[in-house]
Amino acid sequence: MKAMVLHAIGQPLVPEDRPDPLPGPGEVRLRVEACAVCRTDLHVVDGDLSSPKLPLVPGHEIVGIVDAVGAGVTALVEGARVGVAWLGHTCGTCYFCDGDAENLCDAPVFTGYTRDGGFATHVLAEADFAYPLSGFDDPVAAAPLMCAGLIGWRALRMAGDGQRIGLYGLGAAAHILAQVCRWQGRDVYAFTSRGDTPAQAHALSLDARWAGSSDDKPPVELDAAIIFAPVGGLVPKALPAVRKGGRVVCGGIHMSDIPQFRYGLLWGERQLLSVANLTRADALEFLAVAPQAGVKTTTRVYALGDANQALADLRVGRYQGAGVIVP
Ligand SMILES: [Zn+2]
Ligand SMILES: [Zn+2]
């Protein structure tokens, strides 16, 4: 197999040939068809997330074909198309796993962080954490659903049932979520960095009601806002944009510090929440919703050997939608 490997924090990924891995009990091996690039991959290679497995193959938005099946796996067969996401394993016994909150598991394993991921021709995954994608014909289009879509879905559920939804940071997650919101009949208000007219135009093309700068006051009070940009400074901007009792949901795994702000911004029973990881139930639910909602992803394709370029382009926001590596 071929893989792009992180050997040290902050260093470029290195192309490597490795022996094909063999699936252990409960595991499957995938021939990777596509793996989308996520901002979390940048946080991993930059060292914003502590203690990654090293050396590491990043990538946690994987679509592939099962090409080997380990002992005891009955739910998946060779030839099946499946998706693999960030949550790669949970303990099944801790307080959170017991309580229907496996996204908060005390002893989780994460794909492309604490186990090898999909910037490779092949990857192993636990069969219980590989989701059938029989209804998805285009692996490139489906790959960004596996994190941007799933985490976005969880964030939207945490935002509540409000009509007017603000999305801060129009990257891969927001461009999927905008479509889901419109399908649900909600109104989307898109906030980008100042002067990012391509992103604002992209938001309007996705039928956002309004697009503007995160410094701007939206034309209406929002019921909820979801912050996808990893910028803590957006919290005191989003809080006054939501109505009393409204929610601001931080959708990223890492964020720069939230600056001090006056209590009046939170007053009025406004709520500030974070979203952590996903559950398998989230994945199954969203993968059923996405085709019904007619979600279409905007993608830019990279060869496996160009994974460093894909990460660099994400860092500076060189494309709309999602970057996808196709080995
Ligand atoms: Zn657990
Ligand atoms: Zn991700």
Side-chain angles (χ1 to χ4, degrees), residues 91-186:
C91 77
T93 57
C94 72
Y95 171 82
F96 300 100
C97 283
D98 247 4
D100 213 17
E102 66 177 357
N103 58 307
L104 302 177
C105 175
D106 283 333
V109 177
F110 296 116
T111 311
Y113 176 34
T114 52
R115 71 178 286 158
D116 281 337
F119 291 1
T121 56
H122 295 79
V123 64
L124 297 179
E126 289 196 11
D128 287 347
F129 291 81
Y131 312 102
L133 292 178
S134 49
F136 294 82
D137 310 328
D138 180 351
V140 173
L145 302 180
M146 297 311 302
C147 185
L150 290 181
I151 299 285
W153 176 248
R154 187 173 178 83
L156 182 62
R157 284 219 331 262
M158 294 186 76
D161 295 329
Q163 176 69 24
R164 296 159 168 176
I165 305 294
L167 301 177
Y168 284 77
L170 202 89
H175 102 286
I176 293 170
L177 214 53
Q179 298 173 61
V180 173
C181 285
R182 291 301 297 129
W183 174 71
Q184 293 175 325
R186 307 204 221 196

Side-chain angles (χ1 to χ4, degrees), residues 3-8 11-18 56 119 308:
M4 295 297 284
V5 183
L6 178 71
H7 283 274
Q11 295 298 307
L13 308 181
V14 179
E16 280 181 17
D17 289 305
R18 295 174 160 194
L56 172 73
F119 291 1
N308 288 308

Side-chain angles (χ1 to χ4, degrees), residues 30-306:
L30 310 188
R31 174 174 60 75
V32 178
E33 296 181 291
C35 184
V37 181
C38 174
R39 186 161 294 279
T40 299
D41 298 318
L42 286 180
H43 295 315
V44 170
V45 303
D46 289 349
D48 294 325
L49 305 185
S50 61
S51 311
K53 166 190 174 296
L54 287 176
L56 172 73
V57 181
H60 58 271
E61 301 190 79
I62 307 168
V63 175
I65 302 290
V66 175
D67 80 342
V69 176
V73 175
T74 53
L76 297 175
V77 294
E78 282 183 41
R81 174 171 288 139
V82 297
V84 172
W86 172 248
L87 190 70
H89 171 86
T90 54
C91 77
T93 57
C94 72
Y95 171 82
F96 300 100
C97 283
D98 247 4
D100 213 17
E102 66 177 357
N103 58 307
L104 302 177
C105 175
D106 283 333
V109 177
F110 296 116
T111 311
Y113 176 34
T114 52
R115 71 178 286 158
D116 281 337
F119 291 1
T121 56
H122 295 79
V123 64
L124 297 179
E126 289 196 11
D128 287 347
F129 291 81
Y131 312 102
L133 292 178
S134 49
F136 294 82
D137 310 328
D138 180 351
V140 173
L145 302 180
M146 297 311 302
C147 185
L150 290 181
I151 299 285
W153 176 248
R154 187 173 178 83
L156 182 62
R157 284 219 331 262
M158 294 186 76
D161 295 329
Q163 176 69 24
R164 296 159 168 176
I165 305 294
L167 301 177
Y168 284 77
L170 202 89
H175 102 286
I176 293 170
L177 214 53
Q179 298 173 61
V180 173
C181 285
R182 291 301 297 129
W183 174 71
Q184 293 175 325
R186 307 204 221 196
D187 299 326
V188 171
Y189 298 81
F191 298 80
T192 71
S193 44
R194 179 164 293 288
D196 191 352
T197 43
Q200 291 171 10
H202 189 215
L204 294 173
S205 78
L206 297 170
D207 206 18
R209 188 54 66 98
W210 173 90
S213 154
S214 53
D215 294 322
D216 295 340
K217 208 168 144 48
V220 295
E221 277 197 316
L222 305 174
D223 294 310
I226 305 173
I227 302 176
F228 288 114
V231 180
L234 290 172
V235 169
K237 293 180 181 176
L239 279 169
V242 303
R243 61 162 168 77
K244 285 180 285 188
R247 291 181 185 165
V248 173
V249 179
C250 300
I253 195 167
H254 175 83
M255 204 180 221
S256 56
D257 288 350
I258 299 172
Q260 191 173 35
F261 59 85
R262 63 187 173 82
Y263 178 57
L265 297 186
L266 192 63
W267 175 247
E269 299 192 347
R270 290 178 178 83
Q271 298 176 50
L272 179 60
L273 308 162
S274 68
V275 169
N277 314 315
L278 70 147
T279 65
R280 282 173 281 181
D282 293 330
L284 294 171
E285 197 174 274
F286 179 70
L287 291 171
V289 162
Q292 290 176 47
V295 170
K296 296 207 172 11
T297 51
T298 302
T299 53
R300 177 183 288 199
V301 169
Y302 294 86
L304 179 59
D306 294 331

